[in-house]
């Protein structure tokens, strides 16, 4: 199983520093009205990144409004964060592809009312609808966001069709930018890399979660997975080729899955057939991820493709070791620690070896966890991410 894009790192097509240098020193109105558009606001990596950006922007320089194509989510944690920050959020309640044209019309009406100077979109559907709506409403600047190295050819064609209508395409990692440039044939001069950021204070001095409430017997060391239960995440591969050996060689450890998705029923059935119900626990979505990470021994991520997985960055911020495939963004996150903590998606034996080694060697696990935490603090702070977005927006509006 291979990642959908080559792992050869190319020079970033348009470094942010060069884009900023192109700007003309022009006075801008303050605060600048901007629109942030996303497909939905259920809890997820891209959704969390958008809310982090919206709530972290300097409100003396920017006045953000958030738009979600879908309805108000049942799990409203991210929406509550926007409300607490007094950031307006609008929900278009789009439920099918057939509503695409009406969504463009309705969003363009919102833009005419708000009159944003710049629109930033996140994820494929939002990129399409927001770009067409911004063009219709004559918004001065349009920036899309590609968060994952999506192997879908038709999506790449649609995104490439949009490129003449956008000013910049923010890629969440160099791996995603390489995928866009090599496989998607996107124009280099519009690609910009702005990595995810994490707020370390959320993971410092947190209370350990009581994992017995999630079905884990007291005192059992935990191997943790966090994310959607779907094909992209490589869970079939993890369950069938890796975990049987891992659980056999680590009889004291359990596997805890935090998240939900379309594969849950099939995975639960497989676990039951293997007689592993006492060792594998399905927790569903949980709102206390920092506490669960603190109570776990290590994180695993068997993804087939990614962008820059927030869950790996969160585990690093929590001071935990990681075992991951070398999906897009992972090598950039782990840096020098990637050799011990990652391997190819076609190497199940190597993946299992790394889990077993880190579970048995607590000294090595602690050293890697501390190294990960330092790297998260120095290379991937939330403040640095927000600053890069702010500089990009102002540079585009000054041109």
């Amino acid at each position: 199983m291979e990642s959908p894009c080559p792992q050869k790192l190319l020079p970033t097509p348009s470094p942010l520093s060069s884009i900023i240098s192109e700007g003309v020193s022009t006075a801008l109105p303050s605060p600048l009205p901007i629109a942030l558009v996303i497909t939905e606001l259920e809890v997820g990596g891209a959704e969390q990144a958008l809310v982090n950006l919206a709530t972290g922007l300097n409100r003396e320089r920017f006045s953000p409004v958030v738009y979600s194509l879908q309805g108000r989510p049942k799990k409203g944690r991210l929406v509550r964060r926007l409300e607490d920050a007094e950031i307006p959020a609008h929900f278009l309640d789009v439920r099918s592809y057939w509503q695409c044209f009406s969504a463009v019309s309705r969003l363009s009406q919102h833009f005419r009312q708000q009159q944003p100077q710049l629109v930033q979109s996140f994820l494929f559907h939002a990129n399409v609808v927001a770009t067409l709506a911004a063009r219709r409403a004559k918004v001065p600047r349009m920036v899309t966001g590609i968060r994952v190295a999506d192997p879908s050819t038709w999506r790449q064609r649609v995104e490439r069709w949009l490129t003449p209508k956008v000013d910049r395409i923010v890629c969440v990692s160099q791996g995603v930018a390489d995928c866009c440039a090599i496989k998607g044939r996107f124009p280099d001069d519009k690609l910009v890399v702005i990595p995810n950021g994490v707020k370390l204070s959320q993971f410092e001095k947190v209370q350990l979660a009581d994992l017995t409430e999630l079905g884990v017997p007291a005192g059992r060391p935990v191997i943790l997975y966090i994310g959607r239960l779907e094909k992209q995440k490589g869970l079939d591969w993890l369950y069938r080729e890796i975990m049987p050996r891992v659980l056999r060689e680590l009889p004291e450890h359990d596997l805890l899955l935090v998240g939900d998705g379309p594969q849950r029923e099939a995975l639960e059935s497989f676990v039951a057939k293997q007689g592993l119900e006492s060792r594998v626990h399905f927790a569903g979505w949980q709102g206390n991820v920092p506490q669960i990470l603190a109570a776990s021994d290590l994180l695993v991520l068997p993804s087939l493709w990614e962008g820059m997985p927030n869950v790996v960055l969160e585990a690093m911020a929590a001071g935990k070791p990681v075992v991951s495939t070398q999906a897009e963004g992972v090598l950039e996150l782990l840096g020098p620690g990637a050799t011990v903590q990652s391997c190819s998606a076609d190497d199940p034996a190597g993946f299992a070896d790394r889990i077993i080694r880190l579970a048995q060697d607590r000294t090595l696990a602690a050293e890697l966890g501390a190294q990960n935490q330092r790297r998260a603090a120095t290379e991937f702070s939330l403040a640095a991410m927000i600053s890069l977005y702010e500089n990009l927006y102002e540079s585009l509006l000054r041109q």
Side-chain angles (χ1 to χ4, degrees):
M1 293 177 289
E2 296 182 354
S3 170
C5 292
Q7 287 297 300
K8 178 183 178 183
L9 290 181
L10 300 179
T12 306
S14 292
L16 189 55
S17 58
S18 68
I19 292 173
I20 293 172
S21 67
E22 294 172 5
V24 179
S25 181
T26 303
L28 297 174
S30 184
L32 283 164
I34 65 170
L36 303 175
V37 186
I38 195 162
T39 304
E40 61 176 330
L41 276 174
E42 290 283 2
V43 176
E47 295 79 7
Q48 182 173 301
L50 178 139
V51 173
N52 285 341
L53 174 61
T55 57
L57 287 169
N58 186 332
R59 300 296 284 278
E60 294 182 356
R61 296 162 61 191
F62 300 94
S63 177
V65 175
V66 172
Y67 300 90
S68 169
L69 300 189
Q70 295 188 11
R72 187 183 182 94
K74 295 179 180 179
K75 300 179 180 68
R77 181 165 59 89
L78 295 179
V79 178
R80 286 194 296 273
R81 285 184 58 196
L82 294 173
E83 292 172 343
D84 290 344
E86 299 182 346
I87 296 172
H90 302 276
F91 300 92
L92 302 188
D93 202 26
V94 174
R95 301 180 184 181
S96 73
Y97 290 105
W98 303 109
Q99 294 177 282
C100 178
F101 293 109
S102 66
V104 170
S105 177
R106 290 160 58 196
L107 187 58
S108 66
Q109 291 175 10
H110 279 289
F111 289 165
R112 290 189 185 100
Q113 292 171 2
Q114 183 200 356
Q115 295 189 338
Q117 293 298 297
L118 178 144
V119 173
Q120 167 78 70
S121 59
F122 286 68
L123 301 177
F124 172 75
H125 296 94
N127 288 344
V128 175
V129 173
T131 299
L132 298 178
R135 186 180 181 90
R136 181 179 294 188
K138 295 181 170 57
V139 177
R141 294 295 185 187
M142 180 68 215
V143 181
T144 58
I146 299 184
R147 312 286 303 178
V148 66
D150 195 327
S152 170
T153 301
W154 77 268
R155 286 193 177 192
Q156 292 172 4
R157 288 174 178 171
V158 172
E159 295 261 24
R160 191 164 62 245
W161 172 74
L162 292 174
T163 54
K165 303 173 179 63
V166 305
D167 296 283
R168 292 294 184 270
I169 303 165
V170 174
C171 300
V172 75
S173 68
Q174 183 65 52
V176 170
D178 293 342
C179 187
C180 290
I182 298 171
K183 188 173 181 180
R185 302 195 303 278
F186 286 69
D188 292 352
D189 60 340
K190 291 196 175 183
L191 298 176
V192 180
V193 175
I194 300 182
N196 284 336
V198 65
K199 190 174 182 180
L200 259 70
S201 60
Q202 294 179 332
F203 298 88
E204 294 174 346
K205 299 179 181 179
V206 299
Q207 290 187 340
L208 275 63
D210 182 359
L211 299 184
T212 62
E213 297 178 354
L214 303 180
V216 180
R220 299 280 295 180
V222 165
I223 299 166
L224 179 65
Y225 167 86
I226 301 175
R228 281 185 58 77
L229 309 184
E230 63 182 3
K231 179 181 178 181
Q232 173 199 343
K233 300 299 182 179
L235 292 168
D236 283 338
W237 180 65
L238 179 72
Y239 266 67
R240 300 181 188 280
E241 300 187 49
I242 297 169
M243 290 314 300
R245 176 191 162 196
V246 167
L247 295 176
R248 184 172 62 251
E249 296 192 28
L250 298 174
E252 303 300 320
H253 286 70
D254 284 3
L255 173 66
L256 175 63
L257 293 98
V258 174
D260 215 333
Q263 284 192 320
R264 177 166 179 168
E265 185 176 343
L267 293 173
E268 288 178 328
S269 176
F270 178 81
V271 168
K273 289 178 181 178
Q274 297 296 313
L276 296 173
E277 301 101 314
S278 64
R279 306 281 307 278
V280 180
H281 313 281
F282 293 83
W285 290 113
Q286 299 293 323
N288 58 336
V289 167
Q291 291 77 15
I292 293 174
L293 275 166
S296 303
D297 283 51
L298 65 97
L299 177 90
V300 294
L301 183 70
S303 293
L304 305 181
W305 67 89
E306 280 289 349
M308 177 165 278
N310 272 333
V311 67
V312 171
L313 187 52
E314 290 174 347
M316 292 169 64
K320 297 296 176 178
V322 173
V323 176
S324 174
T325 56
Q326 293 171 350
E328 290 78 12
V330 170
L331 299 181
E332 297 164 57
L333 284 171
L334 295 175
T339 302
V340 184
Q341 298 178 91
S342 70
C343 68
S344 170
D346 58 3
D347 184 10
F351 200 99
D353 287 343
R354 284 162 173 78
I355 295 175
I356 294 166
R357 182 183 179 189
L358 292 180
Q360 293 177 336
D361 190 338
R362 292 186 174 273
T363 300
L364 175 61
E367 291 174 353
L368 287 171
Q371 176 181 310
N372 286 345
Q373 193 171 57
R374 289 192 298 271
R375 184 168 174 81
T378 57
E379 301 293 333
F380 300 101
S381 73
L382 183 58
M385 182 199 83
I386 293 169
S387 178
L388 289 173
Y389 274 103
E390 290 178 338
N391 291 340
L392 172 62
Y393 297 162
E394 289 187 334
S395 70
L396 286 173
L397 290 168
R398 284 197 179 102
Q399 288 179 29

